[in-house]
Amino acid sequence: MTGLEEAFALGTPTQAAVAAAPRVASLALLARVEGGAGVLDQVARSPPPQRSGAAGAAVALCGVVCLAAVGKVARRRRSKVAAAAGTPGDKLSLFSPAKVNLFLRIIRRREDGYHDLASLFHTVSFGDTLDLEVLPEEAAKDELQCNLPGVPVDDSNLVIRALNLFRKMSGEKNYFRINLQKSIPAQAGMGGGSSNAATAFYGANALCGRPASAEELIKWADDPVIGSDATFFLSEGTAYCTGRGEIVTPVSPLSVPADLPVFLVKPRMGLSTPRVFKALDLSMLSKVEPEVLLKTFQEKGADHEAWVNDLEQPAFDVEPDLGRLKVFLEKDGGFGFRSVLMSGSGSTIYALGEPKGGAEAFEKATRAGFDIEGIWRCGLVRRSGSEAWYSFPEVKS
């Protein structure tokens, strides 16, 4: 039984009235039934055609009864309203944020070749844009376009892998047209590919009427095929991640100023994660317990000295210039940042706070001394709740 049929079953309309009514469960109505209007109001849809007579009356009656049944239907499984969504032409435009690791501890090397880690992840207001559109029913595959040349647009792309996984887990049959506008560099330690995969996963679920709850989406995304960090991006933006990174424990907002600047500094060089892990010396790991680091961030925000990334030294061993860049940002440049740390396995190094002498002088001096791909000013951001997605950052004039 669909959510629409279920609503009728709770009221008095006859099945004849249902048959006379067109497909009236618009996404706006679904948003009310699901309590998620903040998400689905992003969907661009054409208004339903005007009807008259018995069909029009049935439409109106259907809407009234559906809204009257909201209290009961909203508590039923989301999959029961999925049949009313996924209409060809439905669209979503979503922000796909980058992340930084506020600390990163490597715990041990596992028998399967992965490493157990413990890390505090946080999303930032720098990222990509992912547009999704439901293709016609006869479509047999997804269509992916990307603004960056050289980015694969076949099944090897994490976005396509995520959509394939979503169809497998949900039973949905829809295929999508995807336009991916990349800003996050590759091999940067900012989780760009995993973020894109998680964003596609969320968007497909929204366009298909939310067959999965927020909690179910995280469970479904726990698959290495779409990257170990994908589950994090399905959290609310601050999370303590363990295992390969796929075990996500939500963390409440940290006590940091809302306007705290985060400067992302990406050198031209990239670093592949396997290359960094290959250089990792397990005997040189930090001795600070990750739970102690987590408590420090929860109690003190960013005002402390407990900034640890066990992958920094192997990354600096692989690319010595990266180590020199961190020393420049942290000390030699005289910028007075609150903290400076490499994100993930590199090669991005981020700095918190306003640089002495101003942002323009900081960027000029950094580019003069190093081969820099990009410097981006952003901030720490979160989702407003488990049903809403990350908001696009404000564009300052």
Side-chain angles (χ1 to χ4, degrees), residues 251-270:
V251 173
S252 299
L254 302 178
S255 180
V256 297
D259 59 351
L260 177 67
V262 180
F263 288 90
L264 306 172
V265 182
K266 169 64 172 66
R268 189 82 53 189
M269 73 185 77

Side-chain angles (χ1 to χ4, degrees), residues 38-62:
V39 174
L40 291 177
D41 65 5
Q42 300 175 72
V43 181
R45 297 198 58 178
S46 300
Q50 298 296 317
R51 299 178 184 268
S52 59
V59 170
L61 184 59
C62 170

Side-chain angles (χ1 to χ4, degrees), residues 62-135:
C62 170
V64 171
V65 173
C66 285
L67 291 176
V70 161
K72 294 183 179 180
V73 175
R75 290 188 291 271
R76 305 293 177 88
R77 287 188 57 82
R78 286 176 168 83
S79 60
K80 296 195 176 183
V81 297
T87 303
D90 286 351
K91 299 178 181 179
L92 272 175
S93 184
L94 298 169
F95 179 57
S96 183
K99 62 83 177 169
V100 293
N101 299 79
L102 299 181
F103 70 80
L104 175 56
R105 283 292 332 279
I106 302 299
I107 308 303
R108 66 183 181 92
R109 180 178 288 122
R110 302 175 359 168
E111 292 182 359
D112 61 6
Y114 287 98
H115 288 75
D116 279 332
L117 59 83
S119 182
L120 181 58
F121 285 49
H122 209 300
T123 44
V124 296
S125 58
F126 169 72
D128 303 330
T129 298
L130 190 143
D131 298 327
L132 278 174
E133 179 181 353
V134 180
L135 288 172

Side-chain angles (χ1 to χ4, degrees), residues 325-337 339-341:
L325 174 61
K326 185 190 177 185
V327 171
F328 175 76
L329 296 175
E330 194 171 36
K331 299 176 182 178
D332 294 352
F335 303 119
F337 285 116
S339 59
V340 176
L341 196 71

Side-chain angles (χ1 to χ4, degrees), residues 210-269:
R210 294 189 186 177
S213 66
E215 295 77 14
E216 288 170 330
L217 272 187
I218 291 178
K219 293 179 181 178
W220 289 4
D222 180 11
D223 192 318
V225 73
I226 61 172
S228 297
D229 294 345
T231 48
F232 158 69
F233 288 100
L234 292 167
S235 74
E236 293 186 21
T238 314
Y240 179 58
C241 300
T242 54
R244 301 186 320 271
E246 85 286 2
I247 303 173
V248 177
T249 302
V251 173
S252 299
L254 302 178
S255 180
V256 297
D259 59 351
L260 177 67
V262 180
F263 288 90
L264 306 172
V265 182
K266 169 64 172 66
R268 189 82 53 189
M269 73 185 77

